[in-house]
Amino acid sequence: MSSDGFPTPPGNAPSYDTSTPKSFDYQPSDPEKPRHGTMPTPKPSSPLATMQDGPNTEKRFDLLDLELIHHYSTRTYMTMSSRLASHAVWRDTIFAEALRHDYLLHGLMATAALHKATLQLRSSDAYAEYSRIALAHQNVALAGFIPEVSKPNRDNGIAIFSVSLLLTIWAFASKRLPEGLNNVKLDFGRGESSPGVTLPLHSPTGDFIEVIMILRGIYAVIRETNTWLQGDIEELLRYPGPEDLPPHPPDVLDAFSILRSAVDDPQLTSLWEGEEAQATKSLLLEQMEELRNISRCRSVVEWDGHIFSWLIMAPPAFIHCLKRSNPLALAIFAHWAAMFRCMDHHWWVNGWGYSLVNDVSSMLDPVWARYLDWPRRQVGLVFQGSGGFDGRRMP
């Protein structure tokens, strides 16, 4: 188990960037502190030091700012999506937009710093410093972004959309970094709050629901900015058609068939008593079918990010079922989480699928073991009698 509380997935050994020395030869960038030298900074939110007026004008740059921009422009941009066609958009289109909007440039630098942090040994000074700088740039980015998000227009639409996408990466990655980076909790959702949340506090599943709300909020931002998302940026809005995705292999079809049979399990009939329960059953069967269709993307690396759309497009009632720990909703979610491992090659989501399946397994009663067999096998977990289900019970 890692030090941040996540079980370490079998066979997922971390890789570290040994090219960065543990001790910096310069003072790291901090957007909240004065820059190098004596030059004044005309714009407090500007990420780069500027020239000093006068006869002895000297241009000075913050070295870590340049390092982060270089790292983003040479490495981080390629990790944002698996689609080769989108790489140029992240590298060129969005970076050009960041030169017009300081908060987006700070967002890109924050993302590069997060990326750099995950490439360091967790015990190193470099890891701690990159993590601190990532948080500092996030704070500055959000300070500029929050006032803008409520008034999208032709000038800021692409920048707002881009920062909204970065929020997802921060939200996922922050669960694997120091506690201070867990502060990205913007709620764009309207009418999606629900009483009676029963998920264990600070469990991986509970934390993930917060990320889901950010994901759903991004969809709301896309709707608000869609008018201005034209040109190269439209590449980020593309999604696969049915003809672009192969059919499921037999084991996946069998897994869905077994999961579907849960609604007829005589040991679970109490779940469907009453008119409201019947409506819930219909809802869950619909979402099961949606997942069956969407999850075909796991077989095509180019479209692996499409796996998110199941959660983004799910009706609020299904999200409420997850929040209330509905057992069948959690079992369906465990299947999604197992399929989510198709994204493990991205540094910002690696390990989530394993942790979520493990967490759901600990919450459900042993009667659900049969319905969790496939996701548990997919992430490398094994059954050990009832020991795998000795946590909280939900009949």
Side-chain angles (χ1 to χ4, degrees):
M1 179 173 289
S2 65
S3 59
D4 53 9
F6 278 80
T8 302
N12 274 354
S15 59
Y16 300 113
D17 179 3
T18 57
S19 64
T20 303
K22 292 184 178 181
S23 60
F24 295 94
D25 295 327
Y26 49 83
Q27 289 296 316
S29 159
D30 189 331
E32 298 175 354
K33 293 182 179 179
R35 298 294 176 186
H36 286 79
T38 59
M39 297 79 64
T41 303
K43 294 175 65 180
S45 61
S46 177
L48 294 179
T50 55
M51 292 193 302
Q52 179 183 14
D53 295 330
N56 297 320
T57 297
E58 180 184 6
K59 180 180 291 186
R60 300 285 299 279
F61 295 96
D62 187 300
L63 293 182
L64 188 54
D65 282 343
L66 295 180
E67 179 191 337
L68 294 179
I69 289 174
H70 176 264
H71 188 76
Y72 175 82
S73 301
T74 58
R75 294 187 65 184
T76 302
Y77 79 90
M78 291 185 288
T79 70
M80 313 297 269
S81 167
S82 298
R83 296 198 64 228
L84 293 177
S86 72
H87 289 177
V89 178
W90 281 105
R91 183 193 63 201
D92 302 331
T93 307
I94 291 180
F95 187 80
E97 199 69 19
L99 297 178
R100 300 178 54 245
H101 300 275
D102 282 356
Y103 60 88
L104 176 54
L105 187 53
H106 279 287
L108 298 183
M109 294 166 73
T111 307
L114 280 176
H115 187 201
K116 291 283 284 188
T118 62
L119 297 174
Q120 316 302 318
L121 290 168
R122 291 183 64 88
S123 59
S124 69
D125 293 339
Y127 175 89
E129 193 59 33
Y130 282 124
S131 300
R132 184 185 70 82
I133 295 307
L135 178 59
H137 280 291
Q138 282 183 17
N139 289 338
V140 178
L142 291 175
F145 170 73
I146 292 173
E148 295 281 299
V149 75
S150 62
K151 48 182 180 182
N153 53 59
R154 183 178 300 278
D155 179 67
N156 66 16
I158 293 177
I160 290 174
F161 169 69
S162 301
V163 173
S164 299
L165 296 180
L166 295 178
L167 283 172
T168 301
I169 292 174
W170 299 350
F172 278 116
S174 68
K175 303 303 182 183
R176 306 183 61 82
L177 288 168
E179 184 67 25
L181 295 179
N182 291 346
N183 295 326
V184 184
K185 298 181 187 290
L186 290 183
D187 181 11
F188 296 101
R190 293 174 175 79
E192 294 215 331
S193 61
S194 63
V197 176
T198 59
L199 288 171
L201 188 64
H202 300 311
S203 67
T205 305
D207 287 342
F208 195 83
I209 295 300
E210 294 184 10
V211 179
I212 289 175
M213 301 313 294
I214 294 177
L215 281 169
R216 295 169 69 82
I218 287 171
Y219 180 67
V221 171
I222 291 174
R223 292 199 304 267
E224 293 294 326
T225 61
N226 188 58
T227 302
W228 301 286
L229 299 180
Q230 300 177 4
D232 293 340
I233 197 71
E234 291 181 277
E235 189 63 44
L236 301 186
L237 301 176
R238 300 197 189 283
Y239 55 90
E243 69 282 0
D244 298 318
L245 303 176
H248 282 305
D251 71 301
V252 177
L253 295 176
D254 289 345
F256 275 109
S257 177
I258 291 171
L259 184 61
R260 170 66 176 78
S261 69
V263 299
D264 300 316
D265 190 329
Q267 298 183 79
L268 302 174
T269 54
S270 61
L271 288 175
W272 317 122
E273 295 174 354
E275 185 175 338
E276 182 178 351
Q278 288 296 314
T280 298
K281 180 167 72 171
S282 297
L283 168 70
L284 297 180
L285 288 173
E286 289 172 3
Q287 290 310 298
M288 204 182 298
E289 188 62 27
E290 286 294 324
L291 179 59
R292 188 210 300 261
N293 293 330
I294 289 173
S295 59
R296 289 189 295 144
C297 70
R298 67 193 285 265
S299 300
V300 184
V301 172
E302 180 182 14
W303 294 115
D304 57 10
H306 186 55
I307 196 73
F308 286 122
S309 63
W310 180 67
L311 292 170
I312 294 173
M313 303 300 294
F318 178 75
I319 303 301
H320 295 172
C321 284
L322 287 177
K323 290 180 177 181
R324 298 190 196 103
S325 303
N326 178 285
L328 182 54
L330 287 174
I332 298 171
F333 178 67
H335 282 68
W336 179 88
M339 295 171 176
F340 187 42
R341 290 201 75 191
C342 70
M343 294 284 289
D344 263 3
H345 60 102
H346 293 283
W347 60 271
W348 41 278
V349 291
N350 181 269
W352 268 105
Y354 176 89
S355 297
L356 292 170
V357 173
N358 187 58
D359 189 47
V360 170
S361 296
S362 72
M363 286 191 284
L364 292 180
D365 188 274
V367 71
W368 289 93
R370 176 171 179 257
Y371 305 110
L372 293 179
D373 181 65
W374 184 85
R376 285 174 61 86
R377 291 184 185 280
Q378 289 295 300
V379 301
L381 291 168
V382 294
F383 288 100
Q384 296 178 350
S386 62
F389 295 86
D390 58 1
R392 180 171 157 208
R393 308 296 194 197
M394 283 184 279

